[in-house]
Amino acid sequence: MSSEHWKGIPVPGVGDDLLDAWPRALDAAGVIATAASVAVARTVLSAAEASGHGPTAAHPAVFLIGGNLWWSDGSRSAEGVWALRPVNEVEVDDQTYASTWNGSLASGQFTGMASSTLSTRPYDRLVSVSAGLYAAGKSGNVDMCVNCQGRMRLVRIDTGDAASYAASIQAVVPAGVAPAISMGLRGGSGGGSASLSSDTRFNYLSVQAVPAPML
C-alpha cells in the first residue's frame, strides 16, 4: 500500500505499479520548471492538463520565467486563461472617499472615511500605507489621521486654511489577523471643526502588503 511523504509526495508500496507511481509522485514533488515566457508556461499547463496532470491547489506548478518564480494552482481567468502569480506577490489595495463632510469633532473622535479591504492571510505581512485628503480647518484642532494595526499617524489641519495633506505609516499585520487600516479626520486637543473635499484625487488610502519574516 502506498504512503505519503511529509512533503505530500506519494510513495509506492510493495506491489504498487511503479510506472503509474512515477507521474503521481512528480505531480506532487514541487519541481520548478523553466519557461521562456508566461505564454509558454500556459502552453505547458494546457498540455499537462490534457495528460491528466494539471496543477491543483494542493500541488501547484512553479515556473522560473526570466529569473522570477511564478505559480499556478489550476485556476483560470473569466476568459479561461491560466492564472499565473508571482511568488511573494505584493498585495495592493486602493480606496477613496468621494463624499463631502462638514462638521465638528470632539477630542479623539474619528470619522473613519476610508478603510482598507485587504484580506486576512496565514502569515505575517509588512504593510505600507500612504493616504491623502483635502481639508479646510474651521476652528479648534482637527487632524488628518491614519490608523494601521493599532499605530496612528497624525497631521494637524491648519485652522483658517484649505490645503492638501498626506501621511504614511508602516506596521506588521500578524498571521490570521484581519487588517485594521483606515484614514479620516480626528478631533485634536479640545476638538474642532473642519470640512473635507469630495474629490477622490485628493482623498485616498493606498496600501501595499508583502510577506514578512516569521522568526
Side-chain angles (χ1 to χ4, degrees):
M1 178 180 293
S2 64
S3 60
E4 187 172 284
H5 187 272
W6 68 271
K7 292 184 178 180
I9 302 172
V11 179
V14 177
D16 287 340
D17 185 343
L18 295 182
L19 292 179
D20 178 66
W22 272 106
R24 291 189 296 109
L26 290 173
D27 285 345
V31 176
I32 298 176
T34 58
S37 66
V38 169
V40 170
R42 285 172 171 156
T43 300
V44 172
L45 291 174
S46 294
E49 182 183 54
S51 67
H53 299 282
T56 65
H59 302 300
V62 182
F63 292 91
L64 181 64
I65 305 173
N68 297 295
L69 291 175
W70 299 73
W71 65 282
S72 166
D73 63 358
S75 60
R76 298 172 182 264
S77 69
E79 293 74 29
V81 178
W82 290 103
L84 281 165
R85 297 183 177 280
V87 173
N88 294 337
E89 182 177 8
V90 177
E91 294 179 79
V92 178
D93 179 45
D94 286 306
Q95 302 294 326
T96 57
Y97 183 76
S99 299
T100 56
W101 187 90
N102 185 12
S104 298
L105 295 168
S107 179
Q109 184 179 2
F110 179 59
T111 59
M113 289 162 169
S115 297
S116 174
T117 60
L118 280 180
S119 301
T120 304
R121 299 296 184 194
Y123 49 83
D124 291 356
R125 285 172 292 174
L126 175 62
V127 174
S128 299
V129 182
S130 62
L133 56 76
Y134 191 93
K138 300 170 69 176
S139 65
N141 296 315
V142 176
D143 300 320
M144 174 188 180
C145 176
V146 181
N147 294 303
C148 182
Q149 229 61 28
R151 301 188 67 199
M152 181 185 297
R153 187 76 75 230
L154 298 175
V155 178
R156 177 58 47 89
I157 305 297
D158 292 333
T159 302
D161 191 19
S164 179
Y165 297 89
S168 61
I169 193 171
Q170 286 188 323
V172 172
V173 178
V177 174
I181 304 167
S182 58
M183 177 275 289
L185 293 176
R186 182 178 185 271
S189 177
S193 62
S195 61
L196 184 69
S197 165
S198 63
D199 193 331
T200 57
R201 294 173 297 178
F202 290 113
N203 306 327
Y204 63 88
L205 176 69
S206 297
V207 182
Q208 287 191 347
V210 296
M214 300 189 68
L215 307 176

